[in-house]
Amino acid sequence: MAADTQVSETLKRFAVKVTTASVKERREILSELGRCIAGKDLPEGAVKGLCKLFCLTLHRYRDAASRRALQAAIQQLAEAQPEATAKNLLHSLQSSGVGSKACVPSKSSGSAALLALTWTCLLVRIVFPLKAKRQGDIWNKLVEVQCLLLLEVLGGSHKHAVDGAVKKLTKLWKENPGLVEQYFSAILSLEPNQNYAGMLGLLVQFCTNHKEMDVVNQHKSTLLEFYVKHILMSKAKPPKYLLDNCAPLLRFMSHSEFKDLILPTIQKSLLRSPENVIETISSLLASVTLDLSQYALDIVKGLANQLKSNSPRLMDEAVLALRNLSRQCSDSSATEALTKHLFAILGGSEGKLTIIAQKMSVLSGIGSLSHHGVSGPSGQVLNGCVAELFIPFLQQEVHEGTLVHAVSVLALWCNRFTTEVPKKLTDWFKKVFSLKTSTSAVRHAYLQCMLASFRGDTLLQALDFLPLLMQTVEKAASQSTQVPTVTEGVAAALLVSKLSVADSQAEAKLSNFWQLVVDEKKQIFTSEKFLLLASEEALCTVLHLTERLFLDHAHRLTNSRVQQYYRVLVAVLLSRTWHVRRQAQQTVRKLLSSLGGIKLANGLLEELKTVLNSHKVLPLETLVTDAGEVMETGKTYVPPRVLQEALCVISGVPGLKGDITSTEQLAQEMLIISHHPSLVAVQSGLWPALLTRMKIDPEAFITRHLDQIIPRITTQSPLNQSSMNAMGSLSILSPDRVLPQLISSITASVQNPALCLVTREEFAVMQTPAGELFDKSIIQSAQQDSIKKANMKRENKAYSFKEQIIELELKEEIKKKKGIKEEVQLTSKQKEMLQAQMDKEAQIRRRLQELDGELEAALGLLDAIMTRNPRGLTQYIPVLVDAFLPLLKSPLAAPRVKGPFLSLAACVMPPRLKTLGTLVSHVTLRLLKPECALDQSWCQEELPVAVRRAVSLLHTHTIPSRVGKGEPDAAPLSAPAFSLIFPMLKMVLTEMPYHSEEEEEQMAQILQILTVHAQLRASPDTPPERVDENGPELLPRVAMLRLLTWVIGTGSPRLQVLASDTLTALCASSSGEDGCAFAEQEEVDVLLAALQSPCASVRETALRGLMELHLVLPAPDTDEKNGLNLLRRLWVVKFDKEEEIRKLAERLWTTMGLDLQSDLCSLLIDDVIYHEAAVRQAGAEALSQAVARYQRQAAEVMGRLMEIYQEKLYRPPPVLDALGRVISESPPDQWEARCGLALALNKLSQYLDSSQVKPLFQFFVPDALNDRNPDVRKCMLDAALATLNAHGKENVNSLLPVFEEFLKDAPNDASYDAVRQSVVVLMGSLAKHLDKSDPKVKPIVAKLIAALSTPSQQVQESVASCLPPLVPAVKEDAGGMIQRLMQQLLESDKYAERKGAAYGLAGLVKGLGILSLKQQEMMAALTDAIQDKKNFRRREGALFAFEMLCTMLGKLFEPYVVHVLPHLLLCFGDGNQYVRELGWKLANPSKGITLHIDTCVESWAYYVVLASKLPSS
């Protein structure tokens, strides 16, 4: 029960899906049906239903796979239930209209009938495998249906389908011996029908081919009877395809059967219904194998009446029947009788022929008899007799058309002459040219007749006509514009050319003749007018003349004379008439096979190229009217198919098989010609087809000659469509060889820097027509000057000056409205300026037009390639995208580049995302804001909305569901497709704001898209020579790295994390591992440049990226330049200020096994002067560590640092014009670099030897310490102090004179104050290293004390730090110094001096000891000063002293703090602002007095509470 249910369900599904359009579904349901019905006993109703459903597929299933699956299902059904299947399938076929008697064959029914015929053959094999079973109604029905199906195939299908049907039946009959006999029996047992004749003819043909004549003889009489009754005596005209297939039935007929059965029937039928039977009779006469001479006259009597019919069709059929009859006659007397009978009719034996058409029809009948089978001497006699019979008729006839036709019929008989031309005929030829009835057309007909007569053995008889022929040629030369006259001359010239070869004496008389024939100036027979207007016969004649010239007189056709006959051959090859073209093709093939065929082929190609240059494919409606009449354009139009035939003929040079060079040269010449649009319209793959015919492998040929082919195409100017088509074809045939060179050539043209330099004004000049001025300021100036105001008085009695001006303007306005244009009178100077401007604009226009032409040609080639879309094209999309984007900012290039850029999406995006690719391309253009108009339909949506939509769709379709919310079939794009969308993603990230969470989410989506595509990996099955487009090789990795480092350096924390992960993944894709690409040096350079970023996150991420690439990074021993650069960057980053970065750098250094090199020392200087502080700091430390390892480099490095300082110190002055106005400002001061140099010197100081110290201080003093930038001066002073600390003790005696000399000789100028103060500080630091007893100490201390007045906190701090170690040497003078400083602290009105005094006092106290505060009564004086209510400076000075004492003495000053606190609290509410601010500063817990009050916390808290209650002012 379950099985029956399954069968039922399967049948139902089959009924629903049998007509589906999906081939896959068809195969599945048919396979399921086959398994279901195999071995099962279905009810007859189900079988009947299945057969009906099978028949529904006849017109639907066009593919071989579906048909095979259906045939397998039918076979299984037939095997399961043979009789039911056969019965119902045959019935269903006839019910469906296929295989019915009423069906009229058509192309559609023929295809279905062929498929049904296959099914019936299957039934024969399965249902009727044995001879005993082949009987009964079903068998007869099967044979009948096959007969009808065969008839439909014969009538409705093309030759291949007919051959297929015959092959199927032949195979079936061969496999089953005796089956043919049963077919005969079954067909002849059916009710006789004309439709069975096709199958009967095929059966007879099979028996003939397989020597089964006994079967034919057995049914011979029945077959003849069938033919006579149902074909010959048919009341309706049998179709031609049926008559053609009946021919085998007549091949074994005997004379008696023809005489007794066929002949009477023919005679009766011609009398009864000639219009139905005459075609059948013609076919019968062509099919029999008997000599019909004895019956010919009886047959002709019936056919001759049809020659006089009023029906043109009957006349033509009668002429054809007479031709077929004459071919079956080999008796000369019978043929002569037939001819005389027709001449008698022509003469009026059966009534005078008054209608011209009837005369011509009878003449045509006479011409048909010339195809007789009489040969030998009797044939010559017969032909002569018949030819003489024409003369009386020609003498009497006066109608030109009839005469011409009669002479052309005579030529048919003359063409059969073998030994001589009858004398009567030659005499008639001599007379005929002087008759009044011999018009130009008639004379030409006679000349053609003479050409037919005089040939071979009869040629010399034409010598008597030589003067006449020469006269005809000369007349044609004198009237070369008269086409009829020239037509006569061509025929005469052809005969003369033949005579010149046959008779040497005649050749001597023909010098003038040859001059006329080959004259390249007159071109009597080769002019374009003659070739255009000449008749078909004239074209054939000039073709024969050309053939004779090339074969017999080639020496007369020199280089300049031969070209006109090349033109003749091409013109005849392109004739609109097929039989003319066929003769031309035969002639050209013959000429090409002769010696010099390659030269002829090249000449013909040049002429064909000339024709193609002006040829265009025209639509049918411009060639033919609605009524079907050919229009004037259609008469001269050459169909593209004819051009293609001509090229195929020209390419077939048989003599080149051994000459490979000439063959391949010809193939190159044909490349561009064969890709002309007119030829491509007929056959797009014409050139490779021609190469195949020439036994040349297209791909190997392209490989050998590509270097010659591409320049041949790309250097053409202008580049035409043929060249573009040729390039497209080459890219299809050999993409691996052609595309790299071609894309390289295209990108070279597109990346021309001049294109990006074009301005809008220049572009407007180019668009201005030549001879017209774009900048009309000169003319406008002249127009203003032309308003004659010079003679107007400021005031006039009648009009004021203002009124006069208004009147002039009114007159100008009236002239404009009336269209009156006055020529502006230019002065000579204005004319010179105008001409100069015209010349300038003409030069601009010329230059831009050249650029535009080059760009147009390059983009045309690209369009041709993209149209063909060859294999591997998409891998060049990234290169093209990079080339196109800059051009969109060029007014000249943008309009041309926009289209190709938009078309890239269709080329590279997967089918499901084509629309998305188009959207992204348009959004990219809108973001770029190109210099061209955009499609407004894509600009209606607001740009931010369009961007959001594009990004969201990309995220949805490319991010798999495990990463983001994607579609089920979401998958990353290929690398070329990603390179197309990347510019949009980049611009959105870099140019669009992301202030809101929604905008930041959009940026995050973009980074997710980048991450997914950074994880692309190549397939391991990809051949080494190919690039996997789904791998990372074609990703824009360099641009992605730059973008990601930018995002990390500028983005929000979330975006930084995402971008860091993306960059690491991207670097992993270039790591060189399986499926990964190998990082290019440019990628490594981007990461190395990121190590110089001021952002620590960028530097850290770049290091992680380099860690991923450690296998492919350059090493110094293999790549010196890049390896050394990598070594330098890693060495610097090892000393980064961030600890995590230092650890990463050290790990990478260790992983790569790198080692420091001495060459690095000089290279690190560039990092020292880098514009980023982090890099300068790390670079200085790196340089010092490098020099520490290679101390021999120290002197060189120090010298180089000082040289660079001088370079960076120089600042060019601003550029001024003659009037002193600034044209361009001075460049910015490079103080950062000088700071870096100072920092490097600071770090290097400890590694210098004694000999380098003095030169260094000579650099410091006075140059470096007198830098114009205070930051640089500070860094230089730090460096000098560090050097002194390291080397001062050893170099005191050498350095002190340097300082003293400067202080002695330095000008007393404010510009030297800074360096003077620094030197003082340095002297103080140097004095630390002197003995206490050294007399130099006291002057140094004095100078230090004096330097405390310098308004520089740095100098004052330095002096204060220098004083303590020097105080013991000046202990006896310390009291005086303290008194002076106290006075300066409390009495001076300068802030800097009081502050400096505080620093000095703190330094002296620290040097003398804490007890000096009491010994020198300093605390008492300061306490009095802080309580002085009258002078705020004394209070402020005291606070300065307390601050410095706390700072320098530290905890030693704590015992005195308790005594100071009450006074400090009072300062919080002091009336002077400066005192209050200083008091609060001292109270700051991070610095000041409160830093040292560990023992007074409680008291301090109490006083603070009190201070908070005091008023604020």
Side-chain angles (χ1 to χ4, degrees), residues 45-63:
V47 175
K48 183 177 181 180
L50 284 174
C51 291
K52 287 183 178 180
L53 292 174
F54 292 156
C55 292
L56 294 177
T57 67
L58 289 170
H59 296 284
R60 288 180 172 85
Y61 287 12
R62 299 292 182 184
D63 60 290

Side-chain angles (χ1 to χ4, degrees), residues 421-441:
V421 180
K423 189 173 185 308
K424 289 184 179 181
L425 187 59
T426 57
D427 293 341
W428 173 247
F429 284 155
K430 293 175 182 177
K431 295 178 184 178
V432 74
F433 286 91
S434 59
L435 296 177
K436 291 182 179 181
T437 56
S438 296
T439 61
S440 180

Side-chain angles (χ1 to χ4, degrees), residues 444 448 483 486-487 490-491 494 525-547 567-581 583-584 587 635:
H444 176 253
Q448 292 292 338
V483 174
V486 178
T487 303
V490 169
L494 176 57
F525 308 132
T526 60
S527 65
E528 290 186 11
K529 179 182 178 182
F530 172 68
L531 295 174
L532 184 64
L533 301 177
S535 64
E536 297 169 7
E537 192 173 26
L539 285 176
C540 292
T541 307
V542 77
L543 174 67
H544 293 149
L545 174 62
T546 305
E547 179 185 2
R567 184 165 62 250
V568 169
L569 290 174
V570 171
V572 185
L573 277 173
L574 301 180
S575 170
R576 292 182 59 83
T577 309
W578 162 238
H579 78 87
V580 176
R581 291 203 307 276
Q583 287 191 37
T587 300
K635 293 178 181 177

Side-chain angles (χ1 to χ4, degrees), residues 1043-1058:
L1043 174 64
L1044 291 169
T1045 53
W1046 183 87
V1047 173
I1048 296 169
T1050 60
S1052 64
R1054 179 190 178 192
L1055 297 183
Q1056 283 186 348
V1057 172
L1058 287 172

Side-chain angles (χ1 to χ4, degrees), residues 691-864:
L691 292 188
T692 304
R693 288 179 55 189
M694 297 166 71
K695 304 295 188 294
I696 297 176
D697 178 39
E699 188 169 358
F701 174 80
I702 293 170
T703 302
R704 287 195 300 272
H705 300 284
L706 188 62
D707 293 338
Q708 295 89 36
I709 290 174
I710 288 188
R712 179 192 285 257
I713 295 175
T714 55
T715 55
Q716 288 194 357
S717 182
L719 202 64
N720 53 31
Q721 189 62 44
S722 301
S723 302
M724 297 178 189
N725 292 340
M727 197 56 82
S729 181
L730 290 172
S731 66
I732 287 289
L733 293 170
S734 183
D736 296 335
R737 289 276 298 157
V738 173
L739 286 179
Q741 287 198 32
L742 188 55
I743 297 296
S744 175
S745 174
I746 291 172
T747 51
S749 300
V750 170
Q751 292 175 338
N752 186 348
L755 290 169
C756 297
L757 300 177
V758 176
T759 63
R760 293 181 181 177
E761 183 179 351
E762 290 177 333
F763 183 61
V765 168
M766 190 194 84
Q767 291 181 312
T768 305
E772 186 177 330
L773 201 60
F774 167 71
D775 183 2
K776 299 182 180 178
S777 58
I778 299 172
I779 299 175
Q780 291 170 357
S781 174
Q783 285 177 337
Q784 292 175 358
D785 294 343
S786 67
I787 301 176
K788 299 179 179 178
K789 303 176 185 176
N791 295 328
M792 287 193 303
K793 295 181 179 179
R794 280 290 175 184
E795 294 296 334
N796 189 296
K797 292 182 180 179
Y799 304 102
S800 67
F801 180 77
K802 185 176 180 181
E803 289 173 336
Q804 294 176 70
I805 295 294
I806 293 173
E807 184 181 0
L808 285 173
E809 291 175 351
L810 183 62
K811 287 180 180 178
E812 289 297 323
E813 189 175 346
I814 292 171
K815 287 179 182 178
K816 285 182 181 178
K817 288 182 178 179
K818 292 183 177 180
I820 301 172
K821 291 186 178 179
E822 292 185 357
E823 291 189 6
V824 181
Q825 298 296 323
L826 301 177
T827 64
S828 59
K829 187 169 183 64
Q830 286 174 334
K831 288 180 180 178
E832 289 178 11
M833 293 171 62
L834 182 66
Q835 187 58 46
Q837 183 65 22
M838 291 281 283
D839 295 342
K840 178 182 175 183
E841 291 189 5
Q843 185 178 0
I844 292 172
R845 190 178 296 109
R846 244 186 338 267
R847 177 170 59 83
L848 263 62
Q849 285 173 346
E850 289 177 5
L851 287 174
D852 189 48
E854 292 176 8
L855 179 63
E856 183 183 12
L859 294 178
L861 287 174
L862 180 62
D863 180 63

